[in-house]
Amino acid sequence: MFQRFILPTLKRLVTLIPVALGVCLLTFLLLHVAPGDPVRLALGDKASAEAIATRRHEWGLDKPLWVQFLDFVVGIFHGDLGDSITLNEPTATAIAQRLPPTLLLMAGGTLIGIVLALPLAILSTKKIGGFFDEFMRVFVALLQGIPSFVLGTFVIILFGLQLKWMPVGGYGTTLMDHLVSIVLPSITIGIGLIPVLFRGFRQAILDSLESDSVAFGKAKGLPDGLLKRDYVIRPAAVDTVNLIGLQLGSLVGGVVIVENVFAIPGMGNLMMSAILSRDFPLVQGVVIVFAALVTVIYLLTDICYTALDPRGSMS
Amino acid sequence: MNALMTVSNLTIATSNRKLVTGVNLQVTAGEATGLVGESGSGKSMVLRSIMGLLPNGVNVESGVLTYGGKTYDMTDTKRLATLRGQHVTMIFQEPGSALNQLLRIGQQITDAVNSKEHLSKEARRQLALHLLQSVEMRNPEETAKSYPFELSGGMKQRSMIAAATALNPGVILCDEPTTALDVTVQARILDLLKTMMQTTNLGLLYVSHDLAVVSQLCSTVNVMHSGQILEEGSLDQIFHDPQDDYTKKLIAATPTMTGPYQRYEPISDDSLFQMNNVVVSFENKGFTLFHKNNRKTVLHNISLSIGKGEIVGLVGESGSGKSTIARVISGLQPYDSGTLRFDNEPLGKHRTANQNCAIQMVFQDPNASLDPTKTIRQTLQEIVNANHIVPHNQSNEYIVETLERCQIDKELLNRKPKQLSGGQKQRIAIGRALALQPKLLIADEPTSALDVSIQKEILDLLLDLHNKLNLSILFISHDLAVVRSFCSRVVVLQNGKVMEENTTEAIFDHPTDNYTKELLDSIPQKIIR
């Protein structure tokens, strides 16, 4: 247990420190070379030079760049991501409010993606090259060509406006509200995941169908159901854990668009408005949390894989 | 003789080609029927068709199987499938890929029984132990809890046999089950199969390319060639009085443990190559808390010498360090300590072009030394020109001449490797080495991937080149019968140490080391002519 999971996890966490520093430095520098002055944006065109200088001093923007960066990094280690310029509250507080909807959306979307793609792949491989298999190949190729904001609009029109099953936007105030309002965006994300997951599952199932262990399983006299479960689908599922992890990682980017389509007050929404208003501390905070999220997802993927495959090792 | 299972008039075909035609076979209880043939002869297809495991696009066209008084139409795979496990089962060549990597051994040897009888946890554990004991597994308790990747090749093969026999089938179809194993492990698995045949009255249908292995186990032998059975007969009949020309050729090509030894005296007293106290170790990958430099030694103080014009055999099982030695000699492998001398000059870590040319290698897989994107002529021209063997304008004639020595027609020069057969490719690989005019040729299992008849041709070629060019050869092989027929001196290697070194005659007739004796006892050697 210690050798297999805990030690490699600790090692991985240690290697994250330079990665985190790199992410901080990059976002910090990129924002500062981007055109646009946050103080001008906040005070408007007509503000006096004096007022601008005062505000600049208040926000610490008059210090040398490297001092600003150092302040920022030291702050992170104190759990302080700085104060948002536009929201008048600590960046950490703003992020803490907006993180849960995003996490919920990612989890829901992935779950729906897997629940849809896995059975489709299993059905499709029942008769390879059969009608359903061919149909799925075309369907999946089409699906891949549809961007998520178009897909989201379709989902809104169908389930929200025509069938009136679900609210078409917003997040509500109670937990039940949250769960209900997350359904349609999750479906949008889930459908968006189908092409990659379906192809991954399908190929993994084909590979295990042709494996010697399936042939030997048949020769042993295993019934079809057991053979499918333990010798085909299980190895195929283990093979696709990494793929699912990678998709989850890339979802961090995709969720921004879907949140905007459905007006979900999540991290993606927050980031968009922070960028548009040059809210440096907020953008930095959001990017760092996103980066942390991606690395945690990859770490969890590795832990899952190691737990599922006896040969797996994390080092 | 009452047959347990018969196959009659079996024809297997793809949509445009017949792979197997009119095969008749018979398996008797308590006996093994051998099915021998070279690669592509269709022998595996026969087994797979009985199991209903033919690959996509390959189908049984006709064929009738009888088992236990019932008759089965072999085109009816659904009905044939009812035989699987309880009546007929199959074991495979690669136990590593045939076992399910995600399940513990205990679970996968009992899952077939469990699916029929729904055993309690304890009953299932007991059954697993019983099955593992029946295949003479040393540590049944521990093995049952292990995953396949934690076991050795032999243990995996035993586990596979245990799993196959869980439902007490009458017939086991064996598809080269010992080909991937070391010779000592092969001997133990063959013993196990023999014991199981006698105690449980199992019938085996044993497919192999190796006549010697078949002769150890089978009472009846079928010789198969391009989809047909050419000859069927008792073991004695096939080996001592073969009727068919192909059978005769196959038997003649199989190296035996009798016959005269090779005696080539080195042409001068001083040796061509010397290796003194060479040590090679590899860093153990993986994180350990306390030992930062955890190194595994793979060669311990190896010393050996090769005389001018000598053929030295280097034998040992997988992991013994044979190939590492070859790599050290050819300069591909850095070593920790020790010295090398070649042609009375020290052979340092940085070699001269002449030294590099003078030591050449032939690999097991000829594809490793031939560029797939270039024609044979281009590949050889590049090597010859880069090393300035002959003036540029003569390189073409030189290449033709060199390959003619290796019995390669010059018309093949414009082909790419994929347009050539395995035997042709290996000849060209030898020609490639010869083109650099080496004094020492290192042949690392040069015939292991080839059929016996082609193996014979390659060995004859090497011997011919040795005689004509006074070439010294270090011949690396796991196959003792080949070494016996080919080498004049033998070095036996185990776990990176030289166990014994002597003339071939002394090693084979009067071995002194226990490991050498075990190796020799393991050789399947029933063929006596």
Side-chain angles (χ1 to χ4, degrees), chain A residues 44-57:
Chain A
D45 288 344
K46 298 195 175 81
S48 68
E50 207 167 280
I52 286 176
T54 320
R55 185 59 70 85
R56 198 175 282 280
H57 181 72

mmCIF file with all atom_site columns, all heavy atoms in Angstrom, chain A residues 44-57:
data_model
loop_
_atom_site.group_PDB
_atom_site.id
_atom_site.type_symbol
_atom_site.label_atom_id
_atom_site.label_alt_id
_atom_site.label_comp_id
_atom_site.label_asym_id
_atom_site.label_entity_id
_atom_site.label_seq_id
_atom_site.pdbx_PDB_ins_code
_atom_site.Cartn_x
_atom_site.Cartn_y
_atom_site.Cartn_z
_atom_site.occupancy
_atom_site.B_iso_or_equiv
_atom_site.pdbx_formal_charge
_atom_site.auth_seq_id
_atom_site.auth_comp_id
_atom_site.auth_asym_id
_atom_site.auth_atom_id
_atom_site.pdbx_PDB_model_num
ATOM 1   N N   . GLY A 1 44 ? -12.232 54.788 -15.081 1.00 0.00 ? 44 GLY A N   1
ATOM 2   C CA  . GLY A 1 44 ? -12.791 55.461 -16.247 1.00 0.00 ? 44 GLY A CA  1
ATOM 3   C C   . GLY A 1 44 ? -11.799 56.422 -16.875 1.00 0.00 ? 44 GLY A C   1
ATOM 4   O O   . GLY A 1 44 ? -10.759 56.734 -16.305 1.00 0.00 ? 44 GLY A O   1
ATOM 5   N N   . ASP A 1 45 ? -12.169 56.886 -18.077 1.00 0.00 ? 45 ASP A N   1
ATOM 6   C CA  . ASP A 1 45 ? -11.272 57.732 -18.856 1.00 0.00 ? 45 ASP A CA  1
ATOM 7   C C   . ASP A 1 45 ? -11.014 59.088 -18.204 1.00 0.00 ? 45 ASP A C   1
ATOM 8   O O   . ASP A 1 45 ? -9.972  59.711 -18.380 1.00 0.00 ? 45 ASP A O   1
ATOM 9   C CB  . ASP A 1 45 ? -11.875 57.986 -20.241 1.00 0.00 ? 45 ASP A CB  1
ATOM 10  C CG  . ASP A 1 45 ? -11.798 56.732 -21.082 1.00 0.00 ? 45 ASP A CG  1
ATOM 11  O OD1 . ASP A 1 45 ? -11.020 55.836 -20.684 1.00 0.00 ? 45 ASP A OD1 1
ATOM 12  O OD2 . ASP A 1 45 ? -12.508 56.648 -22.100 1.00 0.00 ? 45 ASP A OD2 1
ATOM 13  N N   . LYS A 1 46 ? -11.986 59.578 -17.434 1.00 0.00 ? 46 LYS A N   1
ATOM 14  C CA  . LYS A 1 46 ? -11.891 60.966 -16.975 1.00 0.00 ? 46 LYS A CA  1
ATOM 15  C C   . LYS A 1 46 ? -11.170 61.106 -15.645 1.00 0.00 ? 46 LYS A C   1
ATOM 16  O O   . LYS A 1 46 ? -11.048 62.200 -15.114 1.00 0.00 ? 46 LYS A O   1
ATOM 17  C CB  . LYS A 1 46 ? -13.290 61.562 -16.883 1.00 0.00 ? 46 LYS A CB  1
ATOM 18  C CG  . LYS A 1 46 ? -14.000 61.608 -18.246 1.00 0.00 ? 46 LYS A CG  1
ATOM 19  C CD  . LYS A 1 46 ? -15.193 62.515 -18.210 1.00 0.00 ? 46 LYS A CD  1
ATOM 20  C CE  . LYS A 1 46 ? -15.809 62.650 -19.587 1.00 0.00 ? 46 LYS A CE  1
ATOM 21  N NZ  . LYS A 1 46 ? -16.685 61.487 -19.917 1.00 0.00 ? 46 LYS A NZ  1
ATOM 22  N N   . ALA A 1 47 ? -10.723 60.047 -15.068 1.00 0.00 ? 47 ALA A N   1
ATOM 23  C CA  . ALA A 1 47 ? -10.064 60.118 -13.758 1.00 0.00 ? 47 ALA A CA  1
ATOM 24  C C   . ALA A 1 47 ? -8.781  60.942 -13.861 1.00 0.00 ? 47 ALA A C   1
ATOM 25  O O   . ALA A 1 47 ? -8.089  60.913 -14.881 1.00 0.00 ? 47 ALA A O   1
ATOM 26  C CB  . ALA A 1 47 ? -9.729  58.727 -13.257 1.00 0.00 ? 47 ALA A CB  1
ATOM 27  N N   . SER A 1 48 ? -8.472  61.676 -12.778 1.00 0.00 ? 48 SER A N   1
ATOM 28  C CA  . SER A 1 48 ? -7.267  62.507 -12.777 1.00 0.00 ? 48 SER A CA  1
ATOM 29  C C   . SER A 1 48 ? -6.036  61.640 -12.624 1.00 0.00 ? 48 SER A C   1
ATOM 30  O O   . SER A 1 48 ? -6.103  60.515 -12.110 1.00 0.00 ? 48 SER A O   1
ATOM 31  C CB  . SER A 1 48 ? -7.320  63.509 -11.626 1.00 0.00 ? 48 SER A CB  1
ATOM 32  O OG  . SER A 1 48 ? -7.226  62.809 -10.399 1.00 0.00 ? 48 SER A OG  1
ATOM 33  N N   . ALA A 1 49 ? -4.902  62.182 -13.055 1.00 0.00 ? 49 ALA A N   1
ATOM 34  C CA  . ALA A 1 49 ? -3.650  61.434 -12.954 1.00 0.00 ? 49 ALA A CA  1
ATOM 35  C C   . ALA A 1 49 ? -3.350  61.093 -11.498 1.00 0.00 ? 49 ALA A C   1
ATOM 36  O O   . ALA A 1 49 ? -2.824  60.034 -11.170 1.00 0.00 ? 49 ALA A O   1
ATOM 37  C CB  . ALA A 1 49 ? -2.505  62.252 -13.548 1.00 0.00 ? 49 ALA A CB  1
ATOM 38  N N   . GLU A 1 50 ? -3.736  62.005 -10.623 1.00 0.00 ? 50 GLU A N   1
ATOM 39  C CA  . GLU A 1 50 ? -3.484  61.816 -9.195  1.00 0.00 ? 50 GLU A CA  1
ATOM 40  C C   . GLU A 1 50 ? -4.261  60.612 -8.652  1.00 0.00 ? 50 GLU A C   1
ATOM 41  O O   . GLU A 1 50 ? -3.717  59.764 -7.965  1.00 0.00 ? 50 GLU A O   1
ATOM 42  C CB  . GLU A 1 50 ? -3.908  63.081 -8.466  1.00 0.00 ? 50 GLU A CB  1
ATOM 43  C CG  . GLU A 1 50 ? -3.158  63.311 -7.175  1.00 0.00 ? 50 GLU A CG  1
ATOM 44  C CD  . GLU A 1 50 ? -3.404  64.742 -6.698  1.00 0.00 ? 50 GLU A CD  1
ATOM 45  O OE1 . GLU A 1 50 ? -2.746  65.657 -7.234  1.00 0.00 ? 50 GLU A OE1 1
ATOM 46  O OE2 . GLU A 1 50 ? -4.278  64.914 -5.840  1.00 0.00 ? 50 GLU A OE2 1
ATOM 47  N N   . ALA A 1 51 ? -5.568  60.594 -8.991  1.00 0.00 ? 51 ALA A N   1
ATOM 48  C CA  . ALA A 1 51 ? -6.419  59.502 -8.512  1.00 0.00 ? 51 ALA A CA  1
ATOM 49  C C   . ALA A 1 51 ? -5.886  58.159 -9.003  1.00 0.00 ? 51 ALA A C   1
ATOM 50  O O   . ALA A 1 51 ? -5.839  57.167 -8.256  1.00 0.00 ? 51 ALA A O   1
ATOM 51  C CB  . ALA A 1 51 ? -7.842  59.699 -9.007  1.00 0.00 ? 51 ALA A CB  1
ATOM 52  N N   . ILE A 1 52 ? -5.433  58.180 -10.261 1.00 0.00 ? 52 ILE A N   1
ATOM 53  C CA  . ILE A 1 52 ? -4.908  56.930 -10.826 1.00 0.00 ? 52 ILE A CA  1
ATOM 54  C C   . ILE A 1 52 ? -3.654  56.493 -10.064 1.00 0.00 ? 52 ILE A C   1
ATOM 55  O O   . ILE A 1 52 ? -3.515  55.329 -9.681  1.00 0.00 ? 52 ILE A O   1
ATOM 56  C CB  . ILE A 1 52 ? -4.599  57.102 -12.337 1.00 0.00 ? 52 ILE A CB  1
ATOM 57  C CG1 . ILE A 1 52 ? -5.927  57.138 -13.098 1.00 0.00 ? 52 ILE A CG1 1
ATOM 58  C CG2 . ILE A 1 52 ? -3.711  55.988 -12.852 1.00 0.00 ? 52 ILE A CG2 1
ATOM 59  C CD1 . ILE A 1 52 ? -5.786  57.392 -14.567 1.00 0.00 ? 52 ILE A CD1 1
ATOM 60  N N   . ALA A 1 53 ? -2.786  57.455 -9.784  1.00 0.00 ? 53 ALA A N   1
ATOM 61  C CA  . ALA A 1 53 ? -1.556  57.119 -9.067  1.00 0.00 ? 53 ALA A CA  1
ATOM 62  C C   . ALA A 1 53 ? -1.880  56.571 -7.675  1.00 0.00 ? 53 ALA A C   1
ATOM 63  O O   . ALA A 1 53 ? -1.270  55.594 -7.218  1.00 0.00 ? 53 ALA A O   1
ATOM 64  C CB  . ALA A 1 53 ? -0.662  58.353 -8.968  1.00 0.00 ? 53 ALA A CB  1
ATOM 65  N N   . THR A 1 54 ? -2.836  57.199 -6.997  1.00 0.00 ? 54 THR A N   1
ATOM 66  C CA  . THR A 1 54 ? -3.203  56.739 -5.660  1.00 0.00 ? 54 THR A CA  1
ATOM 67  C C   . THR A 1 54 ? -3.712  55.301 -5.702  1.00 0.00 ? 54 THR A C   1
ATOM 68  O O   . THR A 1 54 ? -3.282  54.434 -4.930  1.00 0.00 ? 54 THR A O   1
ATOM 69  C CB  . THR A 1 54 ? -4.337  57.628 -5.076  1.00 0.00 ? 54 THR A CB  1
ATOM 70  O OG1 . THR A 1 54 ? -4.079  58.968 -5.432  1.00 0.00 ? 54 THR A OG1 1
ATOM 71  C CG2 . THR A 1 54 ? -4.429  57.466 -3.571  1.00 0.00 ? 54 THR A CG2 1
ATOM 72  N N   . ARG A 1 55 ? -4.635  55.047 -6.676  1.00 0.00 ? 55 ARG A N   1
ATOM 73  C CA  . ARG A 1 55 ? -5.224  53.712 -6.775  1.00 0.00 ? 55 ARG A CA  1
ATOM 74  C C   . ARG A 1 55 ? -4.135  52.683 -7.139  1.00 0.00 ? 55 ARG A C   1
ATOM 75  O O   . ARG A 1 55 ? -4.068  51.589 -6.589  1.00 0.00 ? 55 ARG A O   1
ATOM 76  C CB  . ARG A 1 55 ? -6.327  53.713 -7.840  1.00 0.00 ? 55 ARG A CB  1
ATOM 77  C CG  . ARG A 1 55 ? -7.104  52.414 -7.971  1.00 0.00 ? 55 ARG A CG  1
ATOM 78  C CD  . ARG A 1 55 ? -7.793  52.025 -6.666  1.00 0.00 ? 55 ARG A CD  1
ATOM 79  N NE  . ARG A 1 55 ? -8.902  52.907 -6.333  1.00 0.00 ? 55 ARG A NE  1
ATOM 80  C CZ  . ARG A 1 55 ? -10.134 52.760 -6.793  1.00 0.00 ? 55 ARG A CZ  1
ATOM 81  N NH1 . ARG A 1 55 ? -10.423 51.786 -7.589  1.00 0.00 ? 55 ARG A NH1 1
ATOM 82  N NH2 . ARG A 1 55 ? -11.084 53.590 -6.446  1.00 0.00 ? 55 ARG A NH2 1
ATOM 83  N N   . ARG A 1 56 ? -3.270  53.120 -8.035  1.00 0.00 ? 56 ARG A N   1
ATOM 84  C CA  . ARG A 1 56 ? -2.178  52.248 -8.444  1.00 0.00 ? 56 ARG A CA  1
ATOM 85  C C   . ARG A 1 56 ? -1.355  51.835 -7.221  1.00 0.00 ? 56 ARG A C   1
ATOM 86  O O   . ARG A 1 56 ? -0.977  50.697 -7.049  1.00 0.00 ? 56 ARG A O   1
ATOM 87  C CB  . ARG A 1 56 ? -1.299  52.989 -9.456  1.00 0.00 ? 56 ARG A CB  1
ATOM 88  C CG  . ARG A 1 56 ? -0.394  52.094 -10.281 1.00 0.00 ? 56 ARG A CG  1
ATOM 89  C CD  . ARG A 1 56 ? 0.332   52.898 -11.322 1.00 0.00 ? 56 ARG A CD  1
ATOM 90  N NE  . ARG A 1 56 ? -0.528  53.205 -12.462 1.00 0.00 ? 56 ARG A NE  1
ATOM 91  C CZ  . ARG A 1 56 ? -0.783  52.340 -13.445 1.00 0.00 ? 56 ARG A CZ  1
ATOM 92  N NH1 . ARG A 1 56 ? -0.255  51.150 -13.435 1.00 0.00 ? 56 ARG A NH1 1
ATOM 93  N NH2 . ARG A 1 56 ? -1.562  52.667 -14.435 1.00 0.00 ? 56 ARG A NH2 1
ATOM 94  N N   . HIS A 1 57 ? -1.094  52.827 -6.339  1.00 0.00 ? 57 HIS A N   1
ATOM 95  C CA  . HIS A 1 57 ? -0.316  52.547 -5.142  1.00 0.00 ? 57 HIS A CA  1
ATOM 96  C C   . HIS A 1 57 ? -1.082  51.609 -4.207  1.00 0.00 ? 57 HIS A C   1
ATOM 97  O O   . HIS A 1 57 ? -0.541  50.647 -3.673  1.00 0.00 ? 57 HIS A O   1
ATOM 98  C CB  . HIS A 1 57 ? 0.016   53.860 -4.427  1.00 0.00 ? 57 HIS A CB  1
ATOM 99  C CG  . HIS A 1 57 ? 0.841   53.640 -3.190  1.00 0.00 ? 57 HIS A CG  1
ATOM 100 N ND1 . HIS A 1 57 ? 2.172   53.268 -3.249  1.00 0.00 ? 57 HIS A ND1 1
ATOM 101 C CD2 . HIS A 1 57 ? 0.540   53.719 -1.867  1.00 0.00 ? 57 HIS A CD2 1
ATOM 102 C CE1 . HIS A 1 57 ? 2.635   53.115 -2.035  1.00 0.00 ? 57 HIS A CE1 1
ATOM 103 N NE2 . HIS A 1 57 ? 1.662   53.386 -1.167  1.00 0.00 ? 57 HIS A NE2 1
#
